[in-house]
C-alpha cells in the first residue's frame, strides 16, 4: 500500500510538471508569433536590486532600484541604456493570505535621451494560498502613470505560481521556480485603450536566509488590440531582507 506521504509527493511533482509544460507551451506559442514579426521584435535586459524590511508583524516596506537596457533592436545586437527606475511599496498584511500595498514610482528616461520621465502611483491587492508546497498568487493592481501632462490609468491582473525544485519546503541553498501570466489594460483620454499580455518564468536561489537571486525571461505582447509590439526581457534580480 502506498503511504500518503508518497502520494502527496507524486501529486506535487505531477502538478509542477503540468504547470511547467503549460508555460513552455505558451513560450513556444509566443516564439512563433515573434518569428512572424521580426521587424517589431526587441530584446531588453532588466537588472533589479530590492530591499525588504518588516516594520512589524503586519507592516513591511520595500525599496527597489531597476535598470533597463536594450540588447537587440532594429535587427542589431547592441547595448544602450533605456531608463532607470526607483520605487517604493508599503504593504499591510490583512491576514495570512491577503495583503494591501501602496506604491510610488519614478522613471528617468530623459537623461538617456530615450523618452519621457514618469511618476506612477500604485494600489495593489494580493491573495496567496499554498497547497502541497506550491504557492498560488492572485495580484490585482491599479496604476496612475503621469507622463508630462498626460495620465494613463492602467489595470493589471497577474496569476503566479512558485515552488521549490527540491521537495515541498525551500531550504537555504536550494532553487525554486516562479511563473506568471499577467494581463494589462491601459486607459487615457487621448489614446485608444491598449491591452497587453506578459508571460514570465524565472529560476531563483535562496542563497541565505535573507538573500535571494533570480534570473529568467519575460515575454511581452503590447497593445495587441491596436498594433502588436513584441519584446523579450532578460531578467536578473537580487532581493535582500534586512
Amino acid at each position: 500500500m502506498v503511504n500518503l506521504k508518497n502520494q502527496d509527493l507524486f501529486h506535487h511533482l505531477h502538478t509542477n510538471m503540468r504547470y511547467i509544460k503549460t508555460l513552455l507551451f505558451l513560450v513556444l506559442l509566443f516564439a512563433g508569433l515573434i518569428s512572424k514579426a521580426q521587424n517589431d521584435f526587441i530584446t531588453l535586459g532588466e537588472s533589479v536590486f530590492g530591499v525588504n524590511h518588516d516594520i512589524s508583524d503586519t507592516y513591511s516596506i520595500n525599496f527597489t532600484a531597476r535598470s533597463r537596457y536594450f540588447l537587440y533592436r532594429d535587427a542589431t545586437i547592441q547595448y544602450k541604456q533605456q531608463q532607470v527606475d526607483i520605487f517604493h511599496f508599503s504593504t499591510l498584511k490583512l491576514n495570512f493570505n491577503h495583503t494591501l500595498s501602496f506604491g510610488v514610482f519614478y522613471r528617468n528616461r530623459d537623461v538617456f535621451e530615450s523618452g519621457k520621465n514618469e511618476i506612477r502611483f500604485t494600489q495593489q491587492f494580493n491573495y496567496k494560498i499554498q497547497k502541497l508546497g506550491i504557492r498560488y498568487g492572485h495580484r490585482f493592481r491599479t496604476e496612475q502613470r503621469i507622463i508630462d501632462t498626460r495620465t494613463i490609468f492602467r489595470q493589471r491582473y497577474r496569476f503566479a505560481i512558485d515552488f521549490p525544485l527540491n521537495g515541498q519546503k525551500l531550504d537555504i541553498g536550494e532553487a525554486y521556480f516562479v511563473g506568471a501570466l499577467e494581463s494589462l489594460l491601459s486607459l487615457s483620454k487621448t489614446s485608444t485603450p491598449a491591452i497587453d499580455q506578459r508571460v514570465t518564468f524565472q529560476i531563483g536561489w535562496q542563497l541565505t536566509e535573507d538573500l535571494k537571486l533570480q534570473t529568467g525571461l519575460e515575454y511581452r505582447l503590447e497593445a495587441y488590440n491596436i498594433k502588436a509590439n513584441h519584446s523579450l526581457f532578460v531578467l536578473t534580480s537580487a532581493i535582500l531582507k534586512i
Side-chain angles (χ1 to χ4, degrees):
M1 182 176 178
V2 180
N3 62 47
L4 292 178
K5 184 176 181 180
N6 289 337
Q7 287 180 336
D8 288 346
L9 179 59
F10 175 78
H11 182 269
H12 171 74
L13 294 173
H14 176 73
T15 305
N16 288 354
M17 289 303 299
R18 179 159 53 88
Y19 279 111
I20 292 174
K21 288 178 181 178
T22 301
L23 288 167
L24 289 176
F25 170 76
L26 290 170
V27 170
L28 292 174
L29 175 63
F30 293 142
L33 293 173
I34 289 173
S35 67
K36 295 180 181 180
Q38 288 295 330
N39 293 334
D40 299 324
F41 174 63
I42 61 173
T43 301
L44 302 99
E46 197 167 83
S47 301
V48 174
F49 178 70
V51 177
N52 298 326
H53 179 63
D54 292 333
I55 302 296
S56 67
D57 291 339
T58 58
Y59 177 60
S60 63
I61 58 174
N62 164 268
F63 292 94
T64 298
R66 181 170 66 190
S67 172
R68 183 182 297 176
Y69 37 90
F70 293 104
L71 298 174
Y72 178 86
R73 186 172 56 163
D74 299 328
T76 304
I77 296 175
Q78 57 179 277
Y79 173 84
K80 180 176 174 57
Q81 189 75 28
Q82 184 190 38
Q83 66 196 44
V84 291
D85 304 326
I86 299 173
F87 48 97
H88 160 74
F89 271 97
S90 289
T91 298
L92 179 65
K93 185 177 181 181
L94 303 179
N95 54 40
F96 185 75
N97 295 324
H98 302 82
T99 60
L100 188 64
S101 302
F102 300 92
V104 60
F105 172 105
Y106 173 70
R107 168 171 292 167
N108 191 307
R109 285 184 173 177
D110 182 66
V111 70
F112 305 108
E113 299 180 348
S114 62
K116 299 178 180 179
N117 295 345
E118 176 183 339
I119 295 176
R120 184 184 307 175
F121 299 98
T122 301
Q123 305 80 42
Q124 175 179 296
F125 175 75
N126 205 31
Y127 168 60
K128 291 183 179 181
I129 57 173
Q130 187 164 340
K131 296 181 179 180
L132 295 175
I134 305 175
R135 186 166 55 179
Y136 306 87
H138 300 272
R139 189 182 75 184
F140 302 87
R141 178 180 285 187
T142 60
E143 297 174 331
Q144 301 80 49
R145 304 179 61 189
I146 303 171
I147 305 172
D148 285 344
T149 59
R150 184 166 66 111
T151 301
I152 301 172
F153 298 91
R154 188 161 69 175
Q155 282 59 251
R156 305 170 61 167
Y157 166 71
R158 187 188 72 176
F159 172 71
I161 63 168
D162 66 84
F163 52 81
L165 294 178
N166 299 288
Q168 297 188 33
K169 182 178 179 295
L170 183 64
D171 295 317
I172 302 300
E174 293 186 345
Y176 58 92
F177 173 82
V178 181
L181 294 171
E182 185 172 22
S183 299
L184 304 89
L185 172 64
S186 297
L187 305 169
S188 71
K189 292 183 178 180
T190 59
S191 302
T192 302
I195 303 174
D196 303 346
Q197 190 68 46
R198 299 179 183 179
V199 181
T200 308
F201 60 96
Q202 298 188 74
I203 300 295
W205 294 268
Q206 183 75 53
L207 294 185
T208 69
E209 185 176 350
D210 300 321
L211 178 62
K212 292 181 179 180
L213 297 182
Q214 292 183 183
T215 185
L217 299 173
E218 179 175 275
Y219 170 75
R220 295 187 181 183
L221 179 60
E222 298 180 327
Y224 64 83
N225 62 313
I226 304 172
K227 182 182 178 182
N229 294 309
H230 306 265
S231 56
L232 183 68
F233 283 70
V234 180
L235 308 175
T236 55
S237 61
I239 302 100
L240 178 65
K241 184 178 180 180
I242 60 174

